[in-house]
Amino acid sequence: AQSVTQLGSHVSVSEGALVLLRCNYSSSVPPYLFWYVQYPNQGLQLLLKYTSAATLVKGINGFEAEFKKSETSFHLTKPSAHMSDAAEYFCAVSDSGAGSYQLTFGKGTKLSVIP
Amino acid sequence: GAGVSQSPSNKVTEKGKDVELRCDPISGHTALYWYRQRLGQGLEFLIYFQGNSAPDKSGLPSDRFSAERTGESVSTLTIQRTQQEDSAVYLCASSRGTPGNTIYFGEGSWLTVV
């Protein structure tokens, strides 16, 4: 069984500051890992994904994430926060083996950006 | 279509009534997923379709919930005898159905049971 833990249900940063959203996963097989963003009253939009190629993955809107197998982590970062980054962020894991390929999500982290 | 389309976008229903939620996936996507998102919570997996069959129904919370898919396209999620705890956003998603493929989400159907 796979699972995802997102540390911190709420994170606040100042505009221009570093954004760091933490994600740890548990999977019995090599995982595929995803970060999605959800703006208020909207569906989920893919930010980036890791599928066993480069361990540092670059996504949209200046976000990136690094897969660290030894730490079972896939933390999301952005060097400089913008007001438009305020949203909820979800980390998700998918089984790379045979299966339903459905995503198991973390509980989400709500990011606030302070002017 | 260009994206995953869901209808209705909003539904208010009385407790005990049945509701049907519709999902139109991206054209050519063989995999289709239903998730539930309760207010302030994460996403809860309900069911997965590959083509018209559902190899994984493990997330359906009770026998009041059912889903079908026809023509490897449109899917309908049906909730019978709705309860207040069914109030949530129901999100549909689709993908090409192979490992690592991006799963694309619709805007969701907001269900309120009063």
Side-chain angles (χ1 to χ4, degrees):
Chain A
Q2 53 206 21
S3 65
V4 175
T5 302
Q6 290 184 241
L7 199 61
S9 58
H10 285 88
V11 170
S12 290
V13 300
S14 298
E15 192 175 15
L18 171 72
V19 176
L20 171 61
L21 304 181
R22 297 179 187 274
C23 172
N24 288 88
Y25 70 90
S26 169
S27 177
S28 58
V29 297
Y32 295 127
L33 295 159
F34 304 77
W35 275 99
Y36 282 84
V37 60
Q38 186 176 35
Y39 297 101
N41 301 321
Q42 293 189 25
L44 276 76
Q45 179 183 0
L46 180 72
L47 272 179
L48 49 82
K49 66 177 182 180
Y50 166 77
T51 56
S52 76
T55 56
L56 182 63
V57 182
K58 294 187 184 299
I60 62 171
N61 301 340
F63 283 93
E64 62 182 38
E66 187 172 7
F67 172 67
K68 291 188 177 180
K69 184 178 178 181
S70 61
E71 298 178 7
T72 60
S73 69
F74 191 57
H75 302 330
L76 181 71
T77 60
K78 182 174 180 177
S80 177
H82 193 273
M83 296 299 294
S84 61
D85 295 328
E88 189 151 23
Y89 292 80
F90 293 92
C91 182
V93 63
S94 176
D95 193 331
S96 65
S100 71
Y101 317 137
Q102 54 109 338
L103 294 174
T104 299
F105 284 87
K107 293 188 182 298
T109 298
K110 187 167 286 188
L111 176 67
S112 299
V113 182
I114 304 164
Chain B
V4 178
S5 178
Q6 292 188 245
S7 62
S9 54
N10 281 283
K11 174 75 175 178
V12 179
T13 190
E14 292 182 352
K15 178 180 171 182
K17 302 279 189 185
D18 297 352
V19 296
E20 282 190 354
L21 307 175
R22 176 190 167 105
C23 173
D24 213 331
I26 293 171
S27 179
H29 281 190
T30 59
L32 186 147
Y33 311 79
W34 283 99
Y35 285 83
R36 178 169 71 176
Q37 186 178 26
R38 290 182 165 137
L39 191 64
Q41 298 189 24
L43 279 80
E44 177 187 3
F45 168 76
L46 297 179
I47 189 169
Y48 154 75
F49 287 91
Q50 182 66 268
N52 291 335
S53 64
D56 191 348
K57 304 179 183 180
S58 61
L60 292 177
S62 75
D63 59 7
R64 296 187 296 105
F65 287 72
S66 63
E68 64 175 17
R69 188 181 186 193
T70 56
E72 296 196 355
S73 179
V74 172
S75 175
T76 302
L77 176 69
T78 301
I79 308 172
Q80 296 179 307
R81 305 181 303 281
T82 52
Q83 304 294 312
Q84 287 185 329
E85 64 261 27
D86 298 334
S87 296
V89 179
Y90 290 83
L91 290 163
C92 179
S94 71
S95 76
R96 294 196 180 278
T98 53
N101 280 163
T102 298
I103 296 179
Y104 296 90
F105 283 82
E107 299 272 317
S109 289
W110 292 71
L111 175 66
T112 303
V113 181
V114 297

